[in-house]
Amino acid sequence: MKTNTALSLIDIFYGNLNEFLAFSVALINKLEQSPPSSTILNPENILIEKKNNNYDISFNFNESTDPFSKNLYVSPEIKKEIDRDIDNRSILYSIGIIFHVLLTKQFPIITTCINVNFSSNESIPQAIQFIIEKLICKFPEDRYQSLNGIRSDLIKAQNEYEKTGDITPFFPGSDDKPIE
């Protein structure tokens, strides 16, 4: 199964939390092993192949993307909506938007306060909602500070979901370390 379109990713992960968590952890691992040359990531850049219940992920930034949808994955500091430096936290914003779209089939409504609406998929555990909300905070200092922090929370959620079929809400980012 090789894909590089947002619709295909949504079809794979919408309503399937176990697969979403496996993909999410694999995506974060891939980003840490091979950081992309861009600070913007969207589903059209992600190529996936499932091998032996594991996701093999690569990135293709040569894909032409819809200019309208591409802008929805761009962090506020890249858009110059806020006066902050562009760093590794910018791509974490993009990941949060991707996760929201994969789980809800909708873009979050983002104003001065983030209105993250998960009503289109009420089966999303609150812990996953909190993780996504932290990823798409307007200000980089309020987001996860590292890939390690998001991975830690995703693995915690994945392990609990595999053991119990549920995820107890927890405060996201407790294992995160500030950027230096």
Side-chain angles (χ1 to χ4, degrees), residues 1 5 20 24 26 34 40 52 61 97 102 128 131 142 178:
M1 150 181 77
T5 64
F20 169 78
S24 299
S34 306
I40 304 166
N52 303 324
F61 291 97
I97 302 296
L102 293 180
I128 301 301
I131 289 170
D142 296 329

Side-chain angles (χ1 to χ4, degrees), residues 52-108:
N52 303 324
N53 290 327
N54 293 311
Y55 285 99
D56 183 25
I57 298 174
S58 59
F59 304 108
N60 181 358
F61 291 97
N62 296 325
E63 278 299 309
S64 60
T65 57
D66 173 20
F68 172 74
S69 70
K70 180 181 179 182
N71 195 43
L72 295 171
Y73 298 95
V74 178
S75 67
E77 62 273 17
I78 293 174
K79 291 182 195 176
K80 304 289 187 212
E81 293 174 355
I82 59 173
D83 184 23
R84 297 293 192 282
D85 291 336
I86 298 168
D87 57 32
N88 68 324
R89 297 172 296 181
S90 301
I91 202 163
L92 296 176
Y93 180 90
S94 297
I95 293 167
I97 302 296
I98 291 168
F99 287 178
H100 187 277
V101 170
L102 293 180
L103 292 173
T104 66
K105 296 185 179 183
Q106 299 174 348
F107 287 97

Side-chain angles (χ1 to χ4, degrees), residues 13 16-30 48 50 53-57 99 154-155 157-159 161-162:
F13 302 116
N16 190 337
L17 190 59
N18 196 43
E19 287 295 317
F20 169 78
L21 288 168
F23 163 76
S24 299
V25 170
L27 177 63
I28 299 304
N29 288 338
K30 182 63 176 185
I48 65 170
K50 191 169 183 182
N53 290 327
N54 293 311
Y55 285 99
D56 183 25
I57 298 174
F99 287 178
L154 289 170
I155 290 172
Q158 183 181 38
N159 289 340
Y161 189 72
E162 287 173 355

Side-chain angles (χ1 to χ4, degrees), residues 9 11 14 26-27 75 81 86 90 95 112 122 124 130 137 140 146:
L9 289 175
D11 290 342
Y14 181 81
L27 177 63
S75 67
E81 293 174 355
I86 298 168
S90 301
I95 293 167
T112 53
E122 294 180 358
I124 302 169
F130 290 162
C137 284
S146 68

